[in-house]
Every structure is written in C-alpha cells, then in structure tokens.
Amino acid sequence: FLLLAFSFLLLTLLLTLIPVKNSNLEIIAFDVGNADCFLIKTPENEHVMIDTGRFGYDGGKSQAEIIVLKYLKDKGIRNLDTIIVTHFDNDHCGGAVELMNSLKVKNIYVNDLEHASAASKKIYDTARKNNVNLILAKNNQVVYDKNGLKILNYLPSKFKDDNENSIITSLVYKNFKMLFTGDAGINSIDSISGYLPENLTVLKVPHHGAKGGLDENILNKLNPKYSLISVGENKFGHPNLYTLYLLKNTEILRTDVNNSIKIVVNKKGYRVLNFDISKKKYIKF
C-alpha cells in the first residue's frame, strides 16, 4: 500500500512539472517601454518573435535579457522558430543578439543584408556564428503557413528613412487578423496597401503612436477594431495626440497604461487580456 501511494504521489508530482501545451494562438505584447517586442505562440506551439526591445544603457542588460528571456525561461521555451527584426533601430533590434546567443533560433528576417550600423553587423555576425538562417525580407513573403495560421512579410518600396523601410507583417488565423507595422509611415504603408488585409481585429500602431504613421485613408482601409500602441516614457511625445484622435473609433490598448497585453485566439473566438501586476497574471481586459 505504501509503495502504491508513493508511486502515485511521484507520478502526480512529475505531471505537475510537465508544461501543458495548448492549441491556442497567443500573441504577447511585452511591456518594454518605448520599444517593440511581440511573441507569437502558434497553435502548433512554435514561436515567432517580432522585434526584440532595446539595448541596455551604458553596458547594462537589454530588455530581452531582463524581461523576455525571463518569461521564456519561466514558460520552458528554449526555441524560437523565427525572429523578425523590422529594422535596425535600437528599440527594435536591441535584444536580437542575446536571444540568438541564449536560445535555439532557426530563422531571422531582416530588411537589409548590407546595413552599415554597428547593431546590424553584430546581428549578422551572431546569426552566422549560431547557424541561424539570415533571410532578407521580401514583399508578400510567407513566414509561416500551417493549419490555417498564415504569417506574411511585406517590404515597402525603398525609402531613405530607415523607419519607412520597416518590415510590415500580417497574421491571419480563422476570423482574427493582426498587422504589425514596426516604425513604418504613411508612405511605406501606402506603397503596399494592395496586399494588406482589411477589417483588422488588431492594428499594431506604427512608431509608438508617432505622428505620420497613419492617416484616415489607411485606417478606413484597415478598419481595425483594436489599436495597440507599444509605448513608454519618452521625450518624443509618443503617442501623438493627433494619432490618438485618428484612432478614436477603435479600442486603444497601450503598454504604458495596460502593461503587457496578451491576445488568445481559439475556436471560441478571441480574448484580450492585460497583465495585472498585483495578481501577477493576465486578466480579462
């Protein structure tokens, strides 16, 4: 009897330590201040990350090391199928090197293979050192296509401004549609507008809500229900008041107000959650 009881307790303990996988699509907007970092968990339990937060200051830790890697470790995530670096600004590419050095990463998409910045060169070198497939983003490029989930990259016409050259990424699953825009502006979004999905569920607002990312024509075409602004304390006036005015007919989600935001999509529909700091969990928005 004692042997059976001990065996049962041991089996119960082991089962509680095994992470339970689910078939939901889950999207997390990390609260990384005035920067971008999004994690997509597919129904197949693969992981795609769009942007990686900013570098650490004066040799300090990056947001990827402080926030993102801690979350991934807590969830038992050791592999990333794909990282998409929308462009090489510090607040978008700053954690890519740490992620490639700490995890098994299969692919990394970039908007330029010959960018001259120190950050881009370090990303190129780290990808090659760790045998990560370094892929140039293209327009209407399939990143992921399994069991009804489709993730596509779009690359705008070439502009002088790095922000305008941001990779734009769409995600479509069942009736849920989301668009990630990096720091793209009106001109770059207009240049690929014919490819973009309409009647979005969620629009990731370009450039932390800065002026010049959206206009009425773009919003009328995309017609988002929610607008998500990844933003924090900054000296640039993000989000701009005019941008907020343009978004008045959407439900606005802000990481500086709502903390990290999680969207769960399954056969029942979708739920929008925000991280409750006091309860240390995501709750219904």
Side-chain angles (χ1 to χ4, degrees):
F1 175 79
L2 289 174
L3 182 61
L4 287 173
F6 177 76
S7 299
F8 176 77
L9 288 172
L10 181 61
L11 178 61
T12 302
L13 176 62
L14 289 172
L15 288 174
T16 60
L17 295 175
I18 298 173
V20 178
K21 295 184 177 181
N22 66 67
S23 59
N24 296 331
L25 167 67
E26 297 180 356
I27 302 159
I28 290 179
F30 288 102
D31 181 8
V32 287
N34 210 56
D36 276 10
C37 185
F38 301 90
L39 178 68
I40 301 165
K41 185 201 79 66
T42 77
E44 302 295 317
N45 288 286
E46 296 171 296
H47 295 87
V48 176
M49 184 165 287
I50 300 178
D51 283 333
T52 62
R54 67 170 62 252
F55 296 122
Y57 289 106
D58 296 326
K61 295 182 178 181
S62 70
Q63 292 172 322
E65 193 172 354
I66 297 169
I67 299 170
V68 181
L69 283 170
K70 183 180 185 304
Y71 175 88
L72 297 178
K73 182 180 179 181
D74 288 347
K75 295 297 180 182
I77 299 168
R78 299 179 179 87
N79 304 297
L80 289 178
D81 184 74
T82 296
I83 297 174
I84 299 170
V85 174
T86 61
H87 61 302
F88 290 112
D89 277 4
N90 167 21
D91 54 330
H92 293 258
C93 76
V97 167
E98 282 86 355
L99 290 168
M100 287 189 284
N101 282 334
S102 303
L103 304 167
K104 179 63 178 176
V105 179
K106 182 179 178 182
N107 305 308
I108 184 166
Y109 288 83
V110 296
N111 69 343
D112 190 341
L113 290 175
E114 298 179 348
H115 200 271
S117 69
S120 62
K121 291 176 181 177
K122 196 167 184 180
I123 288 172
Y124 301 153
D125 291 344
T126 305
R128 294 177 180 121
K129 181 185 74 175
N130 290 298
N131 296 314
V132 180
N133 295 321
L134 184 61
I135 304 171
L136 178 65
K138 298 177 182 178
N139 199 33
N140 210 28
Q141 177 185 54
V142 177
V143 174
Y144 189 94
D145 189 1
K146 291 183 184 178
N147 292 338
L149 172 62
K150 198 161 190 176
I151 300 174
L152 297 176
N153 279 339
Y154 307 96
L155 197 63
S157 303
K158 198 70 176 176
F159 293 92
K160 292 181 179 180
D161 185 346
D162 274 356
N163 287 341
E164 293 280 8
N165 294 319
S166 294
I167 300 170
I168 295 172
T169 303
S170 70
L171 178 155
V172 178
Y173 181 61
K174 301 183 183 298
N175 294 322
F176 180 89
K177 302 176 187 178
M178 185 166 180
L179 191 68
F180 301 85
T181 55
D183 280 353
I186 294 168
N187 292 331
S188 55
I189 296 173
D190 273 344
S191 74
I192 57 164
S193 62
Y195 297 96
L196 300 180
E198 299 178 2
N199 298 315
L200 296 176
T201 314
V202 182
L203 169 66
K204 199 295 289 187
V205 177
H207 202 177
H208 322 295
K211 186 177 181 181
L214 299 169
D215 61 17
E216 289 185 355
N217 290 332
I218 290 172
L219 283 171
N220 287 338
K221 176 179 173 57
L222 299 178
N223 190 30
K225 182 174 182 180
Y226 292 88
S227 51
L228 195 164
I229 308 175
S230 185
V231 66
E233 184 178 349
N234 66 91
K235 62 182 180 181
F236 308 107
H238 300 159
N240 180 267
L241 290 177
Y242 181 65
T243 299
L244 294 175
Y245 170 77
L246 289 173
L247 297 169
K248 63 184 182 299
N249 294 324
T250 71
E251 187 163 354
I252 298 174
L253 311 172
R254 294 174 52 160
T255 56
D256 63 336
V257 175
N258 309 117
N259 307 314
S260 176
I261 294 161
K262 182 176 184 179
I263 302 165
V264 179
V265 188
N266 53 36
K267 61 184 178 181
K268 296 180 181 179
Y270 66 88
R271 292 177 293 144
V272 179
L273 313 170
N274 74 294
F275 190 75
D276 187 302
I277 295 175
S278 61
K279 296 179 180 178
K280 296 185 178 180
K281 66 178 182 179
Y282 288 96
I283 62 172
K284 190 172 181 181
F285 185 80

